[in-house]
Amino acid sequence: MKRIIYLLVGVATLAAVVALKTPASGQVEGDAAPIYGVKLPSGYRNWPLISVARVGAPVNDIRAKLGNDIAIKAFREGTIPYPDGTIIARLAWKQVVSEENDNAIRIVAEKRLPPDQVQKLLDESFVAGPAINVQLMVKDSKKYASTGGWGFAQFDDGKPADEATLKTCFGCHSPAKDRDFVFTRYTP
Amino acid sequence: MKRIIYLLVGVATLAAVVALKTPASGQVEGDAAPIYGVKLPSGYRNWPLISVARVGAPVNDIRAKLGNDIAIKAFREGTIPYPDGTIIARLAWKQVVSEENDNAIRIVAEKRLPPDQVQKLLDESFVAGPAINVQLMVKDSKKYASTGGWGFAQFDDGKPADEATLKTCFGCHSPAKDRDFVFTRYTP
């Protein structure tokens, strides 16, 4: 199932291994991901939210995109291409049923909806559960010139994903070339 | 449909109107919401993410909870009750189909899944669309003593929701009393 998620980012065209000696933004933590040499940026979990989304079965996730200050400014101002130093972090969690939430929702829903619709509403209501992984896009137009200026990384519980996984990243982002390879749009 | 969302927060027990003269955290913007006198905090859209969730049809939203620094610290450390000054912001957006995203997902999914499962995956994949509203919980154990220490507010496109809406907030949070009336759990 996890392989589906990895593959959802497509088929890459880059094979060169690039070592990132000077990270694009601030401190970094832990091991570098292969190919692009991207590390998990320190403090990324505190970055502002760009937007949220979800992917259906069998992936069944709820996901959030966070951005560093350069990213957030560019998203809000509609700057294309994104400036060097932009980092986008995609966090995904398994969607899980919350009985607590459902009980609260049910009380109110039962006053407004017929029973079958209440059940449908509850069947489709989820909260975020266990983390799946964190994926990063790091903009450095010179260093990553052969992949649209973007370096890609994926971390599973802090550990970088393998080269085979990262080779799939750029190809699938290519359809978004006119938006500098970024699918996500900022939602105020 | 919007009324469902309003009603999902329950039946309140408080009727008193409390004017919030000194906001719990920093600058505030615009008009105050009724009953609790809560204003939209300046800069809340830059706050870190607590977690994400979604509510099924007919609500069909994807939602994110953001927290100010006091909130984030308390969530991460498991501090119960939440300290005075805690503010939690729930942002919700209509879930919408993204043809761009679906096209990218389809390319990869077709290599891994039979056609009916590809369609199911796409049918259940959404991005955030138009904003629905922003709801706030503001902790002030003295000021809001009669509602568990929490003041509630809702803003629709920056405009505070009416008193009838806010009267529903506390009642529905009551089942979460042992977690200081907060349903959401932090997801790393």
Side-chain angles (χ1 to χ4, degrees), chain B residues 102-142:
Chain B
D102 282 0
N103 287 340
I105 292 171
R106 184 182 291 110
I107 293 166
V108 185
E110 283 177 345
K111 295 176 186 165
R112 311 290 301 178
L113 299 170
D116 60 322
Q117 284 185 37
V118 172
Q119 197 51 51
K120 181 172 156 62
L121 186 152
L122 295 174
D123 287 348
E124 294 174 352
S125 294
F126 296 93
V127 301
I132 295 172
N133 60 33
V134 177
Q135 293 180 333
L136 297 173
M137 288 178 71
V138 176
K139 190 70 186 277
D140 187 325
S141 53
K142 287 198 184 66

Side-chain angles (χ1 to χ4, degrees), chain A residues 7 45-46 49-50 52 54 56-57 76 93 95 100 108 112 121 124-126 128 179 185-188, chain B residues 7 45-46 49-50 52-54 56-57 76 93 95 100 108 111 121 124-126 128 179 185-188:
Chain A
L7 286 157
R45 190 59 186 77
N46 289 324
L49 180 73
I50 300 164
V52 291
R54 65 184 181 99
R76 287 177 180 162
W93 300 270
Q95 63 176 23
E100 298 163 328
V108 186
R112 312 290 301 176
L121 185 152
E124 294 174 353
S125 295
F126 296 92
R179 279 156 56 211
R185 294 169 188 268
Y186 180 84
T187 47
Chain B
L7 286 156
R45 189 60 185 75
N46 289 324
L49 180 72
I50 300 164
V52 291
R54 65 185 180 98
R76 287 178 180 160
W93 301 271
Q95 63 177 23
E100 297 163 328
V108 185
K111 295 176 186 165
L121 186 152
E124 294 174 352
S125 294
F126 296 93
R179 280 158 53 211
R185 293 169 188 267
Y186 180 84
T187 47

Side-chain angles (χ1 to χ4, degrees), chain A residues 3-4 6-11 44-66 72 76 91 93 95 100-101 104-109 111-113 117 120-131 172 175 178-179 183-188, chain B residues 3-4 6-11 44-66 72 76 91 93 95 100-101 104-109 111-113 117 120-131 172 175 178-179 183-188:
Chain A
R3 292 208 59 80
I4 296 283
Y6 303 158
L7 286 157
L8 284 175
V9 281
V11 181
Y44 76 93
R45 190 59 186 77
N46 289 324
W47 290 351
L49 180 73
I50 300 164
S51 193
V52 291
R54 65 184 181 99
V55 174
V59 178
N60 285 326
D61 74 14
I62 311 182
R63 42 181 56 203
K65 323 288 166 62
L66 310 182
I72 293 293
R76 287 177 180 162
L91 290 71
W93 300 270
Q95 63 176 23
E100 298 163 328
N101 277 30
I105 291 171
R106 183 181 293 111
I107 293 167
V108 186
K111 295 177 186 164
R112 312 290 301 176
L113 298 171
Q117 284 185 37
K120 182 172 155 61
L121 185 152
L122 294 175
D123 288 347
E124 294 174 353
S125 295
F126 296 92
V127 301
C172 201
D178 63 346
R179 279 156 56 211
F183 285 104
T184 299
R185 294 169 188 268
Y186 180 84
T187 47
Chain B
R3 294 208 56 81
I4 296 285
Y6 303 158
L7 286 156
L8 285 175
V9 282
V11 182
Y44 75 93
R45 189 60 185 75
N46 289 324
W47 290 351
L49 180 72
I50 300 164
S51 193
V52 291
R54 65 185 180 98
V55 174
V59 178
N60 285 327
D61 74 15
I62 311 182
R63 43 182 57 203
K65 323 288 166 61
L66 310 181
I72 293 293
R76 287 178 180 160
L91 290 70
W93 301 271
Q95 63 177 23
E100 297 163 328
N101 277 31
I105 292 171
R106 184 182 291 110
I107 293 166
V108 185
K111 295 176 186 165
R112 311 290 301 178
L113 299 170
Q117 284 185 37
K120 181 172 156 62
L121 186 152
L122 295 174
D123 287 348
E124 294 174 352
S125 294
F126 296 93
V127 301
C172 201
D178 62 347
R179 280 158 53 211
F183 284 104
T184 298
R185 293 169 188 267
Y186 180 84
T187 47

Side-chain angles (χ1 to χ4, degrees), chain A residues 22-98:
Chain A
T22 51
S25 173
Q27 288 183 293
V28 292
E29 290 172 347
D31 297 331
I35 306 179
Y36 306 94
V38 172
K39 291 185 174 187
L40 204 52
S42 178
Y44 76 93
R45 190 59 186 77
N46 289 324
W47 290 351
L49 180 73
I50 300 164
S51 193
V52 291
R54 65 184 181 99
V55 174
V59 178
N60 285 326
D61 74 14
I62 311 182
R63 42 181 56 203
K65 323 288 166 62
L66 310 182
N68 66 356
D69 289 346
I70 298 171
I72 293 293
K73 186 168 186 290
F75 270 101
R76 287 177 180 162
E77 295 175 357
T79 305
I80 299 285
Y82 291 85
D84 281 3
T86 294
I87 309 181
I88 302 166
R90 193 283 280 135
L91 290 71
W93 300 270
K94 273 286 166 193
Q95 63 176 23
V96 297
V97 171
S98 164

